[in-house]
Amino acid sequence: MREHIETVRHYHEVTKHHPRHYARGPGQLDWSTQPDPFRRYAGAPLYKLELHSDTDGPGYDAIWTRGQIQPSPVDQHSISQFFLDSLALSAWKQAGGSSWSLRVNPSAGNLHPTEGYLVCGAIDGFCNEPMVAHYAPKEHLLERRMAIPPALWQRFITSLPHGAMLIGLTSIHWRSSWKYGERSYRYVHLDLGHALAAVRFAAAGLGWGTCLLDQISTMEVAQILGITDPAGVEPEAAGCLLLVTPGGACHPVQGRDGGVLAEMATLPREGRADRLSSSRVEWPLMEEVAEASLKPSDCPSYPRSMHPDSGATMPMRNLALRTIIHQRRSALDFDGSSGMPRSSFYGMLRRTVPHAGSTPLAVFPWAPMVHLAVFVHRVEGLGSGLYLLVRDPNQHQRLRLAMNLAFEWGRPPGCPDGLGLVQLLTGDMRKLAMQIACVQASASDGCFSLAMIADLEKAMDNYGAWMYPRLHWECGLLGQVLYLEAEAVGLRGCGMGCYYDDLMHELLGIKGSEFQDLYHFTVGRAVDDPRITTLPAYPNDG
Ligand SMILES: Cc1cc2nc3c(=O)[nH]c(=O)nc-3n(C[C@H](O)[C@H](O)[C@H](O)COP(=O)(O)O)c2cc1C
């Protein structure tokens, strides 16, 4: 275990960006080997999904309170809606002579290393037998990779809640490393966290629960999904299995049947994965950290922590969930002048903290391990400065001791009870925020931007090196929450994987690797590029 932690530490250190020295990447992009963002399994039986979306679906705010949405029955219609709202295309874009697609889930560089799978029992009118199927977002259909004998499926689901399905997420590293080289292991897992959150929100819209199935090993995830034999094409690395419970709330399950998992691994595969590029560059450091971060099969017990609910009810706005999900975009630019009301700012931050009864964040079994260092630029009624949102109140003192002792730790005006926000520094942070985010103006031209500070050493000491990708999933989930929350108040967000790690640590006074900056995000009033036109995600769609 110690060597694995050392490998992760080393990887994290050498993949930091510094102002004069970026993490090792390919230098120039080789467009001739750009990987295809869409994988298909030639010869696999196909299951068509409907393109029709329920526009009169649930309200956006309804997904934030347990029990607000009646569970939908599992059928072709709801499965179609589920994929449309999670991993499907959201639009095609066109400019000059080129066109590119966008998806419901964002991805660093729009490279989309994440692939999705459905593991389900027989569904009336849709599939006659249990199966593992790969989701093809461009065509919006499922490709069956394995038929599961019903008796084996029965044994598989005995330990799971009644009617449960699984969603598998995997990553094709080469799609991201083609552009980002060694740092891309981080991006791949931030992307996976965004996809995981997208799945969570789509399920919530159908009244279904979702939680991480955490008591199996990464190798077992690969076996269940049938991705262990790349057969000469770009390999897919197993990420996670999410338990989806159409009956309602999802609770992590205990226990596992190793015999059933071994039998699943021997099922014949259907379809043959296509090749995504003519050749590829190996990044051994990335594969080393991936190997060191594989989860073993034991099931840790995590302490849970919930913020006490302030009792303040969040407003139920007239916003359709699916409109928000499908209109989500990354801001290309911000206007550099618009502000936002303080109440909206606090409302957004509250949504990033798990409260008793708030469902979307309950997907992970562990207490929050990521805290938000927020650069406030333009929030009406709140002074510019550096703030910290402590997402697990039990870590307040540790964070205080780990950071610059001269920080103010003052309570911001009007801050709701139960929101662990403190002010660390007062003053204009725009230049600093921009410099730290690889000099990207979007970090200073919005209303606020932030850095996600993870409790890295403690997570690895308590559980193992395999928490490294999981911390990135937590950051990706927070990013997805902020993307949707920004849309809900008429603003726009953007994830930022490019930042100078140690400049942020210096600003916070963090020494050593106890707490590490894993992701940045920015929110503001977006300015669109008039040269880019938008086309529907699918033919005959809107
Ligand atoms: C993990 C991650 C890192 C990102 N990093 C940056 C960044 O540093 N700068 C930037 O302008 N956009 C960044 N983005 C935004 C992506 O470029 C954007 O998601 C992608 O182009 C797809 O567009 P969409 O989000 O509108 O669907 C990032 C997105 C993700 C998910």
PDB file of all heavy atoms in Angstrom, residues 308-336:
ATOM      1  N   PRO A 308     -25.601  20.066   9.451  1.00  0.00           N
ATOM      2  CA  PRO A 308     -26.954  20.164   9.985  1.00  0.00           C
ATOM      3  C   PRO A 308     -27.743  21.080   9.068  1.00  0.00           C
ATOM      4  O   PRO A 308     -27.208  22.089   8.597  1.00  0.00           O
ATOM      5  CB  PRO A 308     -26.745  20.816  11.357  1.00  0.00           C
ATOM      6  CG  PRO A 308     -25.380  21.439  11.293  1.00  0.00           C
ATOM      7  CD  PRO A 308     -24.586  20.692  10.267  1.00  0.00           C
ATOM      8  N   ASP A 309     -28.969  20.718   8.748  1.00  0.00           N
ATOM      9  CA  ASP A 309     -29.720  21.582   7.838  1.00  0.00           C
ATOM     10  C   ASP A 309     -30.124  22.842   8.580  1.00  0.00           C
ATOM     11  O   ASP A 309     -30.533  22.792   9.726  1.00  0.00           O
ATOM     12  CB  ASP A 309     -30.953  20.844   7.297  1.00  0.00           C
ATOM     13  CG  ASP A 309     -31.342  21.405   5.943  1.00  0.00           C
ATOM     14  OD1 ASP A 309     -30.909  22.540   5.645  1.00  0.00           O
ATOM     15  OD2 ASP A 309     -32.048  20.733   5.196  1.00  0.00           O
ATOM     16  N   SER A 310     -29.949  23.971   7.904  1.00  0.00           N
ATOM     17  CA  SER A 310     -30.263  25.253   8.538  1.00  0.00           C
ATOM     18  C   SER A 310     -31.765  25.396   8.720  1.00  0.00           C
ATOM     19  O   SER A 310     -32.228  26.267   9.435  1.00  0.00           O
ATOM     20  CB  SER A 310     -29.774  26.388   7.660  1.00  0.00           C
ATOM     21  OG  SER A 310     -30.474  26.340   6.440  1.00  0.00           O
ATOM     22  N   GLY A 311     -32.524  24.551   8.040  1.00  0.00           N
ATOM     23  CA  GLY A 311     -33.976  24.678   8.111  1.00  0.00           C
ATOM     24  C   GLY A 311     -34.480  25.673   7.079  1.00  0.00           C
ATOM     25  O   GLY A 311     -35.655  25.687   6.746  1.00  0.00           O
ATOM     26  N   ALA A 312     -33.577  26.511   6.560  1.00  0.00           N
ATOM     27  CA  ALA A 312     -33.989  27.494   5.556  1.00  0.00           C
ATOM     28  C   ALA A 312     -34.346  26.734   4.285  1.00  0.00           C
ATOM     29  O   ALA A 312     -33.516  25.999   3.756  1.00  0.00           O
ATOM     30  CB  ALA A 312     -32.856  28.462   5.282  1.00  0.00           C
ATOM     31  N   THR A 313     -35.577  26.874   3.814  1.00  0.00           N
ATOM     32  CA  THR A 313     -35.951  26.133   2.617  1.00  0.00           C
ATOM     33  C   THR A 313     -35.416  26.869   1.396  1.00  0.00           C
ATOM     34  O   THR A 313     -35.381  28.089   1.352  1.00  0.00           O
ATOM     35  CB  THR A 313     -37.473  25.982   2.503  1.00  0.00           C
ATOM     36  OG1 THR A 313     -38.049  27.237   2.798  1.00  0.00           O
ATOM     37  CG2 THR A 313     -37.995  24.909   3.431  1.00  0.00           C
ATOM     38  N   MET A 314     -35.003  26.077   0.420  1.00  0.00           N
ATOM     39  CA  MET A 314     -34.520  26.668  -0.821  1.00  0.00           C
ATOM     40  C   MET A 314     -35.751  26.969  -1.672  1.00  0.00           C
ATOM     41  O   MET A 314     -36.724  26.220  -1.630  1.00  0.00           O
ATOM     42  CB  MET A 314     -33.615  25.676  -1.542  1.00  0.00           C
ATOM     43  CG  MET A 314     -32.423  25.240  -0.721  1.00  0.00           C
ATOM     44  SD  MET A 314     -31.139  26.479  -0.673  1.00  0.00           S
ATOM     45  CE  MET A 314     -30.215  26.038  -2.124  1.00  0.00           C
ATOM     46  N   PRO A 315     -35.700  28.020  -2.476  1.00  0.00           N
ATOM     47  CA  PRO A 315     -36.879  28.359  -3.284  1.00  0.00           C
ATOM     48  C   PRO A 315     -37.154  27.291  -4.335  1.00  0.00           C
ATOM     49  O   PRO A 315     -36.235  26.646  -4.826  1.00  0.00           O
ATOM     50  CB  PRO A 315     -36.476  29.676  -3.951  1.00  0.00           C
ATOM     51  CG  PRO A 315     -34.982  29.700  -3.905  1.00  0.00           C
ATOM     52  CD  PRO A 315     -34.573  28.906  -2.706  1.00  0.00           C
ATOM     53  N   MET A 316     -38.435  27.063  -4.649  1.00  0.00           N
ATOM     54  CA  MET A 316     -38.819  26.174  -5.754  1.00  0.00           C
ATOM     55  C   MET A 316     -39.078  27.075  -6.957  1.00  0.00           C
ATOM     56  O   MET A 316     -40.137  27.685  -7.062  1.00  0.00           O
ATOM     57  CB  MET A 316     -40.087  25.387  -5.402  1.00  0.00           C
ATOM     58  CG  MET A 316     -39.839  24.224  -4.481  1.00  0.00           C
ATOM     59  SD  MET A 316     -39.097  22.835  -5.376  1.00  0.00           S
ATOM     60  CE  MET A 316     -38.890  21.678  -4.045  1.00  0.00           C
ATOM     61  N   ARG A 317     -38.092  27.205  -7.820  1.00  0.00           N
ATOM     62  CA  ARG A 317     -38.230  28.114  -8.957  1.00  0.00           C
ATOM     63  C   ARG A 317     -38.922  27.408 -10.112  1.00  0.00           C
ATOM     64  O   ARG A 317     -38.965  26.186 -10.166  1.00  0.00           O
ATOM     65  CB  ARG A 317     -36.841  28.613  -9.377  1.00  0.00           C
ATOM     66  CG  ARG A 317     -36.158  29.422  -8.300  1.00  0.00           C
ATOM     67  CD  ARG A 317     -34.667  29.539  -8.522  1.00  0.00           C
ATOM     68  NE  ARG A 317     -33.974  28.261  -8.351  1.00  0.00           N
ATOM     69  CZ  ARG A 317     -32.660  28.120  -8.327  1.00  0.00           C
ATOM     70  NH1 ARG A 317     -31.887  29.165  -8.467  1.00  0.00           N
ATOM     71  NH2 ARG A 317     -32.106  26.928  -8.174  1.00  0.00           N
ATOM     72  N   ASN A 318     -39.398  28.210 -11.036  1.00  0.00           N
ATOM     73  CA  ASN A 318     -40.096  27.636 -12.182  1.00  0.00           C
ATOM     74  C   ASN A 318     -39.076  27.262 -13.267  1.00  0.00           C
ATOM     75  O   ASN A 318     -38.979  27.917 -14.299  1.00  0.00           O
ATOM     76  CB  ASN A 318     -41.121  28.663 -12.692  1.00  0.00           C
ATOM     77  CG  ASN A 318     -41.988  28.071 -13.775  1.00  0.00           C
ATOM     78  OD1 ASN A 318     -42.084  26.843 -13.886  1.00  0.00           O
ATOM     79  ND2 ASN A 318     -42.592  28.919 -14.589  1.00  0.00           N
ATOM     80  N   LEU A 319     -38.280  26.233 -12.981  1.00  0.00           N
ATOM     81  CA  LEU A 319     -37.209  25.841 -13.910  1.00  0.00           C
ATOM     82  C   LEU A 319     -37.361  24.361 -14.211  1.00  0.00           C
ATOM     83  O   LEU A 319     -37.456  23.551 -13.288  1.00  0.00           O
ATOM     84  CB  LEU A 319     -35.839  26.032 -13.246  1.00  0.00           C
ATOM     85  CG  LEU A 319     -35.423  27.439 -12.839  1.00  0.00           C
ATOM     86  CD1 LEU A 319     -34.207  27.370 -11.927  1.00  0.00           C
ATOM     87  CD2 LEU A 319     -35.101  28.244 -14.091  1.00  0.00           C
ATOM     88  N   ALA A 320     -37.354  24.008 -15.486  1.00  0.00           N
ATOM     89  CA  ALA A 320     -37.483  22.594 -15.849  1.00  0.00           C
ATOM     90  C   ALA A 320     -36.104  21.935 -15.781  1.00  0.00           C
ATOM     91  O   ALA A 320     -35.131  22.440 -16.355  1.00  0.00           O
ATOM     92  CB  ALA A 320     -38.057  22.469 -17.250  1.00  0.00           C
ATOM     93  N   LEU A 321     -36.024  20.821 -15.077  1.00  0.00           N
ATOM     94  CA  LEU A 321     -34.744  20.114 -14.913  1.00  0.00           C
ATOM     95  C   LEU A 321     -34.084  19.844 -16.263  1.00  0.00           C
ATOM     96  O   LEU A 321     -32.899  20.098 -16.464  1.00  0.00           O
ATOM     97  CB  LEU A 321     -34.983  18.793 -14.167  1.00  0.00           C
ATOM     98  CG  LEU A 321     -33.789  17.837 -14.151  1.00  0.00           C
ATOM     99  CD1 LEU A 321     -32.660  18.394 -13.299  1.00  0.00           C
ATOM    100  CD2 LEU A 321     -34.188  16.452 -13.649  1.00  0.00           C
ATOM    101  N   ARG A 322     -34.874  19.314 -17.206  1.00  0.00           N
ATOM    102  CA  ARG A 322     -34.252  18.871 -18.475  1.00  0.00           C
ATOM    103  C   ARG A 322     -33.798  20.058 -19.324  1.00  0.00           C
ATOM    104  O   ARG A 322     -32.854  19.930 -20.103  1.00  0.00           O
ATOM    105  CB  ARG A 322     -35.206  17.943 -19.229  1.00  0.00           C
ATOM    106  CG  ARG A 322     -35.366  16.655 -18.439  1.00  0.00           C
ATOM    107  CD  ARG A 322     -36.123  15.544 -19.080  1.00  0.00           C
ATOM    108  NE  ARG A 322     -36.142  14.455 -18.117  1.00  0.00           N
ATOM    109  CZ  ARG A 322     -37.231  13.881 -17.611  1.00  0.00           C
ATOM    110  NH1 ARG A 322     -38.428  14.254 -18.016  1.00  0.00           N
ATOM    111  NH2 ARG A 322     -37.133  12.922 -16.716  1.00  0.00           N
ATOM    112  N   THR A 323     -34.456  21.193 -19.168  1.00  0.00           N
ATOM    113  CA  THR A 323     -33.977  22.390 -19.883  1.00  0.00           C
ATOM    114  C   THR A 323     -32.601  22.763 -19.350  1.00  0.00           C
ATOM    115  O   THR A 323     -31.663  23.031 -20.111  1.00  0.00           O
ATOM    116  CB  THR A 323     -34.968  23.558 -19.679  1.00  0.00           C
ATOM    117  OG1 THR A 323     -36.253  23.114 -20.062  1.00  0.00           O
ATOM    118  CG2 THR A 323     -34.574  24.780 -20.473  1.00  0.00           C
ATOM    119  N   ILE A 324     -32.473  22.768 -18.030  1.00  0.00           N
ATOM    120  CA  ILE A 324     -31.183  23.137 -17.411  1.00  0.00           C
ATOM    121  C   ILE A 324     -30.098  22.141 -17.837  1.00  0.00           C
ATOM    122  O   ILE A 324     -28.990  22.523 -18.227  1.00  0.00           O
ATOM    123  CB  ILE A 324     -31.306  23.132 -15.861  1.00  0.00           C
ATOM    124  CG1 ILE A 324     -32.341  24.149 -15.395  1.00  0.00           C
ATOM    125  CG2 ILE A 324     -29.961  23.357 -15.188  1.00  0.00           C
ATOM    126  CD1 ILE A 324     -31.910  25.573 -15.486  1.00  0.00           C
ATOM    127  N   ILE A 325     -30.429  20.845 -17.771  1.00  0.00           N
ATOM    128  CA  ILE A 325     -29.430  19.813 -18.109  1.00  0.00           C
ATOM    129  C   ILE A 325     -28.943  19.979 -19.548  1.00  0.00           C
ATOM    130  O   ILE A 325     -27.743  19.905 -19.825  1.00  0.00           O
ATOM    131  CB  ILE A 325     -30.040  18.403 -17.902  1.00  0.00           C
ATOM    132  CG1 ILE A 325     -30.097  18.072 -16.407  1.00  0.00           C
ATOM    133  CG2 ILE A 325     -29.255  17.336 -18.653  1.00  0.00           C
ATOM    134  CD1 ILE A 325     -30.692  16.702 -16.086  1.00  0.00           C
ATOM    135  N   HIS A 326     -29.872  20.212 -20.477  1.00  0.00           N
ATOM    136  CA  HIS A 326     -29.483  20.220 -21.900  1.00  0.00           C
ATOM    137  C   HIS A 326     -28.923  21.561 -22.362  1.00  0.00           C
ATOM    138  O   HIS A 326     -28.221  21.612 -23.370  1.00  0.00           O
ATOM    139  CB  HIS A 326     -30.660  19.755 -22.770  1.00  0.00           C
ATOM    140  CG  HIS A 326     -30.911  18.281 -22.613  1.00  0.00           C
ATOM    141  ND1 HIS A 326     -30.299  17.335 -23.403  1.00  0.00           N
ATOM    142  CD2 HIS A 326     -31.642  17.588 -21.698  1.00  0.00           C
ATOM    143  CE1 HIS A 326     -30.667  16.123 -22.996  1.00  0.00           C
ATOM    144  NE2 HIS A 326     -31.481  16.254 -21.965  1.00  0.00           N
ATOM    145  N   GLN A 327     -29.216  22.631 -21.630  1.00  0.00           N
ATOM    146  CA  GLN A 327     -28.649  23.927 -22.039  1.00  0.00           C
ATOM    147  C   GLN A 327     -27.273  24.164 -21.403  1.00  0.00           C
ATOM    148  O   GLN A 327     -26.593  25.125 -21.723  1.00  0.00           O
ATOM    149  CB  GLN A 327     -29.593  25.077 -21.672  1.00  0.00           C
ATOM    150  CG  GLN A 327     -29.560  25.449 -20.192  1.00  0.00           C
ATOM    151  CD  GLN A 327     -30.440  26.637 -19.849  1.00  0.00           C
ATOM    152  OE1 GLN A 327     -31.500  26.813 -20.426  1.00  0.00           O
ATOM    153  NE2 GLN A 327     -30.001  27.446 -18.909  1.00  0.00           N
ATOM    154  N   ARG A 328     -26.857  23.291 -20.494  1.00  0.00           N
ATOM    155  CA  ARG A 328     -25.557  23.473 -19.836  1.00  0.00           C
ATOM    156  C   ARG A 328     -24.432  23.560 -20.858  1.00  0.00           C
ATOM    157  O   ARG A 328     -24.320  22.735 -21.749  1.00  0.00           O
ATOM    158  CB  ARG A 328     -25.261  22.299 -18.888  1.00  0.00           C
ATOM    159  CG  ARG A 328     -23.943  22.464 -18.120  1.00  0.00           C
ATOM    160  CD  ARG A 328     -23.227  21.169 -17.850  1.00  0.00           C
ATOM    161  NE  ARG A 328     -22.827  20.473 -19.056  1.00  0.00           N
ATOM    162  CZ  ARG A 328     -21.778  20.806 -19.820  1.00  0.00           C
ATOM    163  NH1 ARG A 328     -21.014  21.826 -19.512  1.00  0.00           N
ATOM    164  NH2 ARG A 328     -21.496  20.126 -20.922  1.00  0.00           N
ATOM    165  N   ARG A 329     -23.636  24.583 -20.758  1.00  0.00           N
ATOM    166  CA  ARG A 329     -22.469  24.748 -21.630  1.00  0.00           C
ATOM    167  C   ARG A 329     -21.338  25.337 -20.805  1.00  0.00           C
ATOM    168  O   ARG A 329     -21.580  25.988 -19.794  1.00  0.00           O
ATOM    169  CB  ARG A 329     -22.746  25.760 -22.762  1.00  0.00           C
ATOM    170  CG  ARG A 329     -23.856  25.393 -23.708  1.00  0.00           C
ATOM    171  CD  ARG A 329     -23.413  24.392 -24.766  1.00  0.00           C
ATOM    172  NE  ARG A 329     -24.516  24.133 -25.664  1.00  0.00           N
ATOM    173  CZ  ARG A 329     -25.502  23.262 -25.440  1.00  0.00           C
ATOM    174  NH1 ARG A 329     -25.481  22.539 -24.339  1.00  0.00           N
ATOM    175  NH2 ARG A 329     -26.486  23.107 -26.290  1.00  0.00           N
ATOM    176  N   SER A 330     -20.121  25.198 -21.299  1.00  0.00           N
ATOM    177  CA  SER A 330     -19.002  25.910 -20.700  1.00  0.00           C
ATOM    178  C   SER A 330     -18.945  27.303 -21.301  1.00  0.00           C
ATOM    179  O   SER A 330     -19.053  27.451 -22.525  1.00  0.00           O
ATOM    180  CB  SER A 330     -17.694  25.186 -21.012  1.00  0.00           C
ATOM    181  OG  SER A 330     -17.657  23.952 -20.338  1.00  0.00           O
ATOM    182  N   ALA A 331     -18.748  28.294 -20.431  1.00  0.00           N
ATOM    183  CA  ALA A 331     -18.602  29.670 -20.924  1.00  0.00           C
ATOM    184  C   ALA A 331     -17.278  29.775 -21.666  1.00  0.00           C
ATOM    185  O   ALA A 331     -16.253  29.278 -21.199  1.00  0.00           O
ATOM    186  CB  ALA A 331     -18.617  30.630 -19.749  1.00  0.00           C
ATOM    187  N   LEU A 332     -17.313  30.401 -22.829  1.00  0.00           N
ATOM    188  CA  LEU A 332     -16.065  30.599 -23.576  1.00  0.00           C
ATOM    189  C   LEU A 332     -15.386  31.882 -23.101  1.00  0.00           C
ATOM    190  O   LEU A 332     -14.173  32.023 -23.152  1.00  0.00           O
ATOM    191  CB  LEU A 332     -16.360  30.674 -25.074  1.00  0.00           C
ATOM    192  CG  LEU A 332     -17.063  29.440 -25.670  1.00  0.00           C
ATOM    193  CD1 LEU A 332     -17.400  29.658 -27.137  1.00  0.00           C
ATOM    194  CD2 LEU A 332     -16.207  28.186 -25.501  1.00  0.00           C
ATOM    195  N   ASP A 333     -16.205  32.822 -22.630  1.00  0.00           N
ATOM    196  CA  ASP A 333     -15.733  34.141 -22.198  1.00  0.00           C
ATOM    197  C   ASP A 333     -16.756  34.726 -21.238  1.00  0.00           C
ATOM    198  O   ASP A 333     -17.933  34.387 -21.348  1.00  0.00           O
ATOM    199  CB  ASP A 333     -15.712  35.067 -23.425  1.00  0.00           C
ATOM    200  CG  ASP A 333     -14.330  35.564 -23.702  1.00  0.00           C
ATOM    201  OD1 ASP A 333     -13.583  35.740 -22.741  1.00  0.00           O
ATOM    202  OD2 ASP A 333     -14.021  35.783 -24.901  1.00  0.00           O
ATOM    203  N   PHE A 334     -16.307  35.628 -20.365  1.00  0.00           N
ATOM    204  CA  PHE A 334     -17.264  36.329 -19.493  1.00  0.00           C
ATOM    205  C   PHE A 334     -17.206  37.819 -19.789  1.00  0.00           C
ATOM    206  O   PHE A 334     -16.200  38.316 -20.306  1.00  0.00           O
ATOM    207  CB  PHE A 334     -16.915  36.080 -18.025  1.00  0.00           C
ATOM    208  CG  PHE A 334     -17.138  34.657 -17.583  1.00  0.00           C
ATOM    209  CD1 PHE A 334     -16.073  33.853 -17.223  1.00  0.00           C
ATOM    210  CD2 PHE A 334     -18.418  34.123 -17.530  1.00  0.00           C
ATOM    211  CE1 PHE A 334     -16.275  32.542 -16.810  1.00  0.00           C
ATOM    212  CE2 PHE A 334     -18.630  32.814 -17.116  1.00  0.00           C
ATOM    213  CZ  PHE A 334     -17.554  32.017 -16.761  1.00  0.00           C
ATOM    214  N   ASP A 335     -18.285  38.544 -19.395  1.00  0.00           N
ATOM    215  CA  ASP A 335     -18.340  39.966 -19.762  1.00  0.00           C
ATOM    216  C   ASP A 335     -17.452  40.855 -18.885  1.00  0.00           C
ATOM    217  O   ASP A 335     -17.206  42.011 -19.207  1.00  0.00           O
ATOM    218  CB  ASP A 335     -19.792  40.478 -19.790  1.00  0.00           C
ATOM    219  CG  ASP A 335     -20.441  40.514 -18.416  1.00  0.00           C
ATOM    220  OD1 ASP A 335     -19.753  40.228 -17.423  1.00  0.00           O
ATOM    221  OD2 ASP A 335     -21.642  40.835 -18.335  1.00  0.00           O
ATOM    222  N   GLY A 336     -16.974  40.334 -17.768  1.00  0.00           N
ATOM    223  CA  GLY A 336     -16.050  41.122 -16.942  1.00  0.00           C
ATOM    224  C   GLY A 336     -16.719  42.257 -16.195  1.00  0.00           C
ATOM    225  O   GLY A 336     -16.024  43.132 -15.663  1.00  0.00           O
TER     226      GLY A 336
END
